[in-house]
Amino acid sequence: MTIENPATYWGELWASGRRYSPLTEPETALLDQHAGPGRGRLALDIGCGDGALARHLAELGYQATGLDCTPAAPALAEPAAGPVVYCCADIEAPHPPPLPQRAYALITARLVFAFIKDKPAFLSRVRSLLAPGGAFWVVTPMAERLPPDRASTGITSAEEEALTSQWAAVHATDIGNLRCYALRAWGDATIERRC
């Protein structure tokens, strides 16, 4: 699904009270297995929405940053933000977003990848933000498992191939109609290997 102006599109939906698939216990349990305890390491949640996943990362002990292209979503999270830092910026902008750190041990993107316009550029940016050996956690529906009118909110097998190539290790697990990917960057492990 191509959205020409993501900040406006998502901002209007969040401001209208629209909420999306809540974070589930099976997802967090699987993430916990792959990410391990944070121990003060840095984590970035791309497309953080209301901050649920970023807050979970903070609970695991990560120094979490939530990034979203619209101020409407992180504004919902602010009252309960706790130790999470929120940044309003578009990960697909021509220049990298003004993030508080330069290298993250863990980057997450839940229900985001299908909406990315330039997926190769996005993956290149993610790799540039990951510390050597860091992990990229992606949760996305698969297009072929969705009704035809919602298929554009999932990824195709070709997009899955692009997502999972060029990583040191790939682990995929299905939870309902979602596929969870633990993708490990090349280099010395900064997160315990669990893939």
Side-chain angles (χ1 to χ4, degrees):
M1 176 178 210
T2 302
I3 298 169
E4 291 308 315
N5 187 334
T8 300
Y9 178 84
W10 295 112
E12 289 173 359
L13 290 174
W14 281 107
S16 73
R18 178 80 185 263
R19 298 299 175 264
Y20 299 91
S21 299
L23 193 59
T24 67
E25 192 281 327
E27 278 181 75
T28 57
L30 188 61
L31 170 60
D32 296 357
Q33 289 174 10
H34 288 286
R39 295 191 296 269
R41 291 173 294 169
L42 303 175
L44 174 65
D45 181 25
I46 297 172
C48 68
D50 66 4
L53 180 52
R55 287 191 303 276
H56 180 74
L57 296 174
E59 290 168 5
L60 288 177
Y62 287 91
Q63 292 180 46
T65 298
L67 177 70
D68 205 282
C69 66
T70 175
L76 298 171
E78 292 299 339
V84 177
V85 173
Y86 290 96
C87 295
C88 181
D90 186 351
I91 191 70
E92 292 193 273
H95 301 288
L99 295 168
Q101 306 295 332
R102 295 204 178 264
Y104 294 86
L106 175 63
I107 297 178
T108 60
R110 182 179 185 271
L111 307 179
V112 170
F113 192 67
F115 299 99
I116 296 295
K117 291 180 217 169
D118 186 342
K119 289 173 177 54
F122 170 77
L123 292 170
S124 178
R125 181 156 290 170
V126 166
R127 284 186 189 93
S128 75
L129 291 169
L130 270 175
F136 183 33
W137 177 257
V138 179
V139 177
T140 185
M142 302 305 293
E144 70 267 8
R145 296 182 184 176
L146 297 172
D149 62 326
R150 293 188 48 232
S152 65
T153 64
I155 65 169
T156 65
S157 57
E159 290 168 329
E160 179 182 38
E161 178 66 28
L163 171 64
T164 58
S165 65
Q166 301 181 24
W167 297 96
V170 175
H171 188 275
T173 304
D174 291 339
I175 299 176
N177 73 340
L178 297 176
R179 184 161 289 164
C180 303
Y181 298 93
L183 308 168
R184 179 81 48 198
W186 298 96
D188 296 331
T190 57
I191 297 178
E192 296 174 16
R193 281 193 174 267
R194 298 183 185 261
C195 296

